[in-house]
């Protein structure tokens, strides 16, 4: 049995999957209810505020947590000293950023075109402190592949957040329901992860360790910075040309699609990075692990993409409600683009990182972020539909970029990766075509839901006729 095909690895995949699937299943439920209680304006306002918080979050870590996961330490005491340095650096940076937001809140609100909501920005920024109190503990648990305890905490916190956010929305708190719900989530994470962690912060700081972490994490920080721009540059640009209502119509489908596909991405990626890091010097084993988890992703992601595209009206009605039906087509198209990124691009990113070449992650993401920024800026004053089409097209441009770099950096041909997931793509496309043909006959919602169930069942039957699928799933389930 190979290094990564042992019980620890498969158990980590299992518990990571359970944790993420449970959390991500509850997240869309929260969005489903909130979408019916709140208006698109509220979602647009929160999207603008989230841009500020997520940007500041980039600087609270600067690669420290990835340094903890990937670096090999001679003893636990050395590891805990580095963790303490990471904790205090994160907390100090968070404090500086919060005070900057406090002093410049009016300028931030003006830049984002949300004047009058300065207080909301300041309150939402308190989550920066909470992230500092939990991120190091999570990194230590991931390093040990302790995904079982992560699962317990995540599911508990997500359930409490669900109750808080929906209760506040029902009580007519408006956009505050989302902001306060997220803040409560981060506080609870900080308390629980600190309580369960073996490591506790001490009054210790080593500038030499801090310097090493900064040197290691600089490429990672650049990558995260470019990833942030890739994810948020369109909203940042459009906030000056779209009202909160249309910004909500634009951002909410993106959030819903990412939540649905995030069930797979978030469960596999943490384990993929840890597993690939262990075999980074073994070329064949490195590629085997990469392809194995890509197959697990593809066998579920492709049929989901097909359902999102063909049955976008059912998905939108179910997750968002009737007031969002005008952008059902965007829910479907963007869902397909998320599938492309999750199955191909993100796996390339993690492979660069684990191979000790994070600068190529930063370069590829940076190139795509630049293209997104230029293209969205060029069409920002055109129709809303054109902006959405350009957003979707950028995912396929990203795919082209990644395939070029994958061959040059890791010598993995794009054709090999395509061949690895080819059967799942082909079956999904064929069933999608059949579904589209029958969807014109099945016009009522009940018949369309039944068609989804039938098509999904046929896909599962066909899927288990592939030998590799049986081997991957049986090994995963048995462990």
């Amino acid at each position: 049995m190979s290094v990564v095909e042992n019980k620890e690895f498969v158990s980590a995949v299992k518990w990571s999957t359970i944790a993420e699937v449970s959390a991500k299943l509850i997240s869309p439920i929260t969005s489903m209810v909130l979408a019916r209680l709140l208006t698109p304006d509220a979602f647009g306002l929160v999207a603008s505020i989230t841009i500020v918080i997520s940007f500041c979050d980039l600087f609270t870590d600067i690669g420290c947590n990835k340094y903890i996961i990937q670096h090999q330490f001679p003893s636990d005491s050395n590891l805990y000293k580095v963790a303490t340095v990471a904790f205090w650096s994160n907390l100090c940076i968070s404090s500086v950023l919060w005070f900057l937001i406090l002093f410049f809140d009016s300028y931030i609100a003006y830049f984002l075109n949300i004047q009058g909501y300065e207080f909301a920005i300041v309150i939402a920024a308190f989550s920066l402190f909470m992230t500092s109190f939990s991120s190091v503990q999570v990194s230590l648990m991931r390093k040990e592949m302790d995904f079982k305890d992560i699962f317990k905490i995540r599911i508990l916190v997500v359930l409490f957040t669900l109750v808080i956010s929906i209760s506040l929305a029902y009580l007519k708190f408006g956009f505050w329901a989302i902001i306060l719900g997220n803040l409560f989530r981060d506080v609870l994470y900080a308390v629980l992860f600190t309580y369960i962690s073996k490591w506790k912060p001490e009054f210790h700081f080593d500038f030499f360790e801090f310097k090493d972490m900064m040197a290691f994490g600089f490429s990672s920080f650049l990558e995260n910075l470019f990833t942030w721009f890739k994810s948020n540059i369109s909203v940042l640009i459009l906030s000056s040309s779209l009202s909160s209502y249309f910004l909500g119509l634009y951002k909410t489908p993106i959030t819903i699609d990412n939540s649905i596909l995030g069930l797979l991405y978030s469960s596999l990626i943490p384990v993929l990075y840890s597993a690939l890091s262990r075999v980074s010097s073994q070329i064949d084993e490195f590629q085997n692990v990469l392809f194995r988890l890509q197959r697990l992703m593809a066998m579920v992601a492709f049929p989901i993409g097909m359902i999102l595209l063909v049955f976008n009206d059912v998905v939108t009605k179910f997750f968002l409600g009737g007031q969002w039906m005008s952008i059902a087509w965007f829910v479907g198209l963007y869902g397909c683009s998320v599938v492309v990124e999750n199955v191909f691009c993100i796996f390339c990113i993690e492979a660069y990182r684990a191979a000790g070449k994070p600068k190529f992650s930063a370069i590829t993401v940076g190139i795509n972020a630049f293209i997104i920024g230029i293209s969205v800026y060029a069409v920002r004053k055109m129709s809303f539909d054109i902006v959405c089409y350009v957003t979707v097209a950028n995912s396929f441009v990203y795919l082209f970029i990644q395939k070029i770099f994958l061959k040059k950096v890791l010598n993995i041909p794009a054709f090999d990766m395509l061949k690895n997931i080819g059967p799942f793509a082909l079956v999904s496309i064929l069933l999608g075509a059949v579904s589209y043909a029958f969807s014109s006959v099945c016009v009522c919602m009940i018949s369309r839901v039944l068609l989804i169930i039938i098509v999904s069942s046929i896909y599962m039957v066909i899927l288990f006729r592939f030998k590799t699928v049986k081997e991957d799933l049986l090994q995963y389930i048995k462990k």
Side-chain angles (χ1 to χ4, degrees):
M1 185 178 291
S2 64
V3 175
V4 294
E5 292 180 329
N6 53 36
K7 185 176 181 179
E8 181 186 14
F9 168 66
V10 179
S11 176
V13 175
K14 179 187 294 185
W15 281 109
S16 178
T17 301
I18 294 173
E20 294 298 336
V21 167
S22 301
K24 297 293 184 180
L25 276 175
I26 297 173
S27 179
I29 294 174
T30 305
S31 298
M32 287 168 57
V33 179
L34 292 179
R36 290 163 170 80
L37 295 174
L38 303 176
T39 64
D41 301 77
F43 285 95
L45 176 62
V46 172
S48 297
I49 294 175
T50 303
I51 286 179
V52 180
I53 310 306
S54 61
F55 181 72
C56 291
D57 260 330
L58 296 174
F59 297 89
T60 60
D61 176 14
I62 317 183
C64 295
N65 295 325
K66 288 180 181 176
Y67 179 85
I68 291 173
I69 294 174
Q70 191 166 7
H71 197 71
Q72 301 300 319
F73 298 92
S75 65
D76 286 345
S77 61
N78 293 100
L79 171 62
Y80 291 163
K81 286 181 180 179
V82 170
T84 300
V85 173
F87 171 81
W88 288 114
S89 63
N90 290 352
L91 185 59
C92 290
I93 294 172
S94 298
S95 301
V96 172
L97 290 172
W98 186 82
F99 278 107
L100 287 175
I101 291 174
L102 177 63
F103 289 129
F104 297 100
D105 57 348
S106 59
Y107 296 98
I108 295 172
Y110 176 79
F111 179 74
L112 295 174
N113 197 26
I114 53 171
Q115 296 93 325
Y117 296 98
E118 292 82 1
F119 182 67
I121 297 174
V122 174
I123 295 299
F126 271 110
S127 64
L128 297 174
F129 295 107
M130 299 305 105
T131 302
S132 300
F133 275 94
S134 62
S135 60
V136 174
Q137 290 89 329
V138 174
S139 298
L140 290 170
M141 294 170 74
R142 283 180 174 173
K143 184 177 181 66
E144 297 300 322
M145 288 195 166
D146 185 12
F147 290 94
K148 186 175 182 178
D149 285 331
I150 293 177
F151 158 71
K152 293 176 182 177
I153 292 176
R154 289 206 63 186
I155 192 65
L156 178 65
V157 171
V158 170
L159 284 172
F160 270 100
T161 305
L162 169 70
V163 174
I164 293 296
S165 296
I166 293 178
S167 299
L168 291 175
Y170 183 77
L171 294 173
K172 307 298 183 182
F173 273 73
F175 68 90
W176 282 108
I178 304 176
I179 292 177
L180 295 178
N182 291 341
L183 187 59
F184 175 83
R185 175 200 63 199
D186 294 335
V187 170
L188 204 52
Y189 272 139
V191 172
L192 294 177
F193 277 119
T194 300
Y195 175 78
I196 201 172
S197 176
K198 298 176 183 178
W199 166 85
K200 298 294 186 292
E202 301 175 349
F203 290 102
H204 163 78
F205 196 87
D206 188 324
F207 283 98
F208 292 103
E209 287 288 356
F210 179 72
K211 182 180 177 181
D212 289 341
M213 282 191 287
M214 292 300 98
F216 174 86
F218 183 70
S219 294
S220 178
F221 169 71
L222 283 181
E223 179 202 335
N224 290 338
L225 183 62
F226 290 142
T227 300
W228 182 90
F229 275 107
K230 178 183 179 301
S231 301
N232 295 283
I233 189 65
S234 57
V235 176
L236 193 62
I237 292 172
L238 295 173
S239 62
S240 61
S241 56
L242 294 180
S243 65
S244 294
Y245 176 83
F246 278 101
L247 197 63
L249 289 180
Y250 176 81
K251 182 63 177 178
T252 302
I254 293 176
T255 302
I256 284 295
D257 285 334
N258 283 326
S259 296
I260 295 171
L261 274 303
L263 290 169
L264 302 171
Y265 162 74
S266 300
S267 63
L268 294 179
I269 294 306
V271 179
L272 174 66
Y273 179 71
S274 299
L276 288 178
S277 297
R278 292 185 175 189
V279 295
S280 57
S281 60
Q282 305 172 42
I283 299 175
D284 292 337
E285 192 62 35
F286 186 91
Q287 184 167 317
N288 287 337
V289 174
L290 180 67
F291 281 7
R292 178 181 167 190
L293 285 176
Q294 189 198 29
R295 287 196 300 271
L296 287 173
M297 173 76 82
M299 71 173 66
V300 182
F302 280 128
I304 291 177
M306 178 270 291
I307 291 172
L308 288 172
L309 181 62
V310 178
F311 301 99
N312 58 70
D313 56 333
V314 178
V315 174
T316 304
K317 182 74 173 180
F318 180 76
F319 282 101
L320 298 176
Q323 66 173 328
W324 301 85
M325 292 303 291
S326 61
I327 42 88
W329 61 274
F330 184 42
V331 172
L333 283 179
Y334 189 80
C336 288
S337 71
V338 174
V339 168
V340 169
E341 292 199 17
N342 280 4
V343 174
F344 296 105
C345 305
I346 293 175
F347 276 77
C348 297
I349 291 293
E350 295 301 320
Y352 302 144
R353 291 175 180 169
K357 301 177 180 180
K359 68 178 181 180
F360 292 103
S361 299
I363 291 172
T364 54
V365 174
I367 292 172
N368 189 238
F370 177 77
I371 294 173
I372 291 174
I374 293 297
S375 58
V376 172
Y377 183 82
V379 301
R380 72 190 188 286
K381 293 186 178 180
M382 297 184 186
S383 71
F384 178 78
D385 290 1
I386 292 177
V387 171
C388 294
Y389 283 125
V390 168
T391 301
V392 171
N394 274 299
S395 293
F396 295 91
V397 175
Y398 190 32
L399 170 63
F400 179 73
I401 295 169
Q402 288 294 353
K403 295 312 154 192
I404 293 175
F405 276 84
L406 185 66
K407 173 62 178 176
K408 290 185 177 296
V409 177
L410 299 179
N411 197 31
I412 299 177
F415 180 75
D416 289 355
M417 185 170 275
L418 292 171
K419 185 171 65 175
N420 183 50
I421 51 82
F424 311 117
L426 180 61
V427 174
S428 297
I429 292 172
L430 291 176
L431 288 177
V434 173
S435 300
Y436 182 76
F438 278 96
S439 64
S440 60
V441 179
C442 303
V443 292
C444 72
M445 195 62 66
I446 296 178
S447 62
R448 292 176 72 78
V449 171
L450 289 175
L451 183 56
I452 292 175
I453 296 173
I454 293 171
V455 171
S456 300
S457 301
I458 294 173
Y459 177 81
M460 292 297 295
V461 171
I462 297 174
L463 193 68
F464 279 97
R465 296 185 66 86
F466 294 106
K467 183 179 178 181
T468 54
V469 172
K470 292 181 180 179
E471 292 175 350
D472 289 341
L473 289 179
L474 285 176
Q475 185 177 32
Y476 173 68
I477 294 171
K478 285 180 180 179
K479 298 295 183 180

